[in-house]
Amino acid sequence: MVNFTAEEKGLINGLWSKVNVEDIGGEALGRLLVVYPWTQRFFDSFGNLSSASAIMGNPRVKAHGKKVLTSFGEAIKNLDNLKSALAKLSELHCDKLHVDPENFKLLGNVLVIVLAGHFGKEFTPEMQAAWQKLVVGVATALSHKYH
Amino acid sequence: MVHFTAEEKAAITSIWDKVDLEKAGGETLGRLLIVYPWTQRFFEKFGNLSSAQAIMGNPRIRAHGKKVLTSLGLAVQNMDNLKETFAHLSELHCDKLHVDPENFKLLGNVLVIVLSTHFAKEFTPEVQAAWQKLVAGVANALSHKYH
């Protein structure tokens, strides 16, 4: 089980309190679809994904990005118990959505890059380390119920 | 062999032309050592690596980061021929430095994050995609001569 120190929790929560879930969520999901185009297969019903600007401007991508990041926020409230907190979502992604768990790591990477872009210097090395630990923990928890 | 479109090349060079090799190189190498602490084993003779602050302020890390990023400049100039460009460095990293090639991917990831913090909105999804393609190409080229 992954353990977060008090400092790491402080860093994660400190940044999270400034995150606009709709903006950052939409940006992260959009960039995932642009940088790793195969991920678009999960969003065939979302309309126009024909170019980077179409993807980034697509309202369904933005809305879904917000939904995904909202779930992330729930994970952040349960840093000591990610597997339990994300158990249902893990089952959903395996049994209903059929998402290759490798994609959770990709989304985590993209989220870190988006946060870096938004927060600039405030995204210090220690902040980056804590967030990278978090996204790995979330990816692992989301994979936990796969069978 | 990886191919870069004209747009991808332009996206890469538009950023590269504005990169301060010493600042970005030092930042990238420093963050690698903090976020992935096992990488410090390659830099044991570099002096004080005892904390994030020590690492980021360490002059030998800055200098070496600049050296690494200068080599990356070779990649930017030789995008059509990465394997040949990095053949000697690949042999060096295998035969003399004994670096696990997985670390090349880690450094590439950290560089993308650092560029994102520096360039923010200018680091668009398309620019991010081009840079991720480049760092993956460089990691492959650096691994190519491993035996």
Side-chain angles (χ1 to χ4, degrees):
Chain A
M1 196 181 85
V2 64
N3 282 105
F4 293 90
T5 64
E7 290 78 15
E8 286 168 339
K9 290 181 182 181
L11 286 167
I12 289 166
N13 283 302
L15 198 77
W16 185 248
S17 63
K18 302 178 199 177
V19 164
N20 176 320
V21 167
E22 184 169 5
D23 275 356
I24 303 266
E27 182 92 17
L29 186 61
R31 284 182 185 244
L32 181 80
L33 299 175
V34 170
V35 177
Y36 308 106
W38 61 86
T39 57
Q40 293 172 27
R41 69 178 281 272
F42 299 109
F43 303 98
D44 280 340
S45 55
F46 271 36
N48 187 3
L49 301 180
S50 59
S51 68
S53 56
I55 290 169
M56 299 311 287
N58 184 312
R60 294 191 64 177
V61 172
K62 285 183 179 189
H64 197 75
K66 179 180 179 181
K67 189 173 177 179
V68 169
L69 212 62
T70 303
S71 297
F72 223 87
E74 287 307 303
I76 289 175
K77 292 182 195 159
N78 293 279
L79 289 174
D80 291 328
N81 206 348
L82 290 174
K83 286 190 173 73
S84 185
L86 293 169
K88 292 228 132 74
L89 275 173
S90 181
E91 286 168 1
L92 175 76
H93 281 76
C94 171
D95 299 332
K96 297 268 184 307
L97 304 178
H98 311 297
V99 174
D100 183 334
E102 184 62 28
N103 292 307
F104 305 144
K105 298 180 193 170
L106 300 184
L107 183 65
N109 280 351
V110 175
L111 177 60
V112 169
I113 290 167
V114 170
L115 292 173
H118 273 245
F119 291 99
K121 283 206 179 312
E122 202 177 337
F123 201 67
T124 61
E126 298 94 316
M127 183 72 81
Q128 178 187 337
W131 273 88
Q132 288 199 216
K133 190 170 171 178
L134 173 63
V135 300
V136 167
V138 169
T140 304
L142 275 171
S143 314
H144 191 62
K145 291 286 190 180
Y146 270 64
H147 58 92
Chain B
M1 197 180 83
V2 64
H3 287 284
F4 293 87
T5 64
E7 290 81 12
E8 286 168 338
K9 289 182 180 180
I12 289 165
T13 52
S14 74
I15 293 286
W16 186 251
D17 290 343
K18 304 177 200 175
V19 166
D20 178 325
L21 292 184
E22 184 170 358
K23 260 183 92 175
E27 181 94 18
T28 300
L29 187 60
R31 284 182 185 244
L32 180 81
L33 269 48
I34 290 164
V35 176
Y36 308 106
W38 60 87
T39 58
Q40 292 173 28
R41 69 177 281 273
F42 299 109
F43 302 98
E44 272 156 14
K45 298 173 292 173
F46 272 39
N48 187 4
L49 301 180
S50 60
S51 68
Q53 217 178 349
I55 289 170
M56 297 310 284
N58 184 314
R60 292 191 65 178
I61 294 291
R62 285 190 84 103
H64 197 76
K66 179 180 179 181
K67 189 173 177 180
V68 170
L69 224 57
T70 303
S71 296
L72 203 87
L74 282 178
V76 175
Q77 285 159 10
N78 292 279
M79 286 189 251
D80 292 328
N81 204 352
L82 292 174
K83 286 192 174 74
E84 209 179 284
T85 302
F86 284 97
H88 279 134
L89 275 171
S90 181
E91 286 168 1
L92 175 76
H93 281 77
C94 171
D95 299 332
K96 298 267 183 311
L97 304 177
H98 311 298
V99 174
D100 183 335
E102 184 62 27
N103 292 306
F104 305 145
K105 297 180 195 172
L106 300 184
L107 184 71
N109 280 351
V110 177
L111 175 61
V112 169
I113 291 166
V114 168
L115 292 177
S116 184
T117 62
H118 280 233
F119 291 97
K121 285 213 178 306
E122 202 178 335
F123 201 67
T124 63
E126 297 96 315
V127 170
Q128 178 187 336
W131 270 92
Q132 288 199 215
K133 188 169 170 178
L134 179 66
V135 299
V138 170
N140 280 340
L142 275 171
S143 313
H144 191 62
K145 291 286 189 181
Y146 270 64
H147 57 94

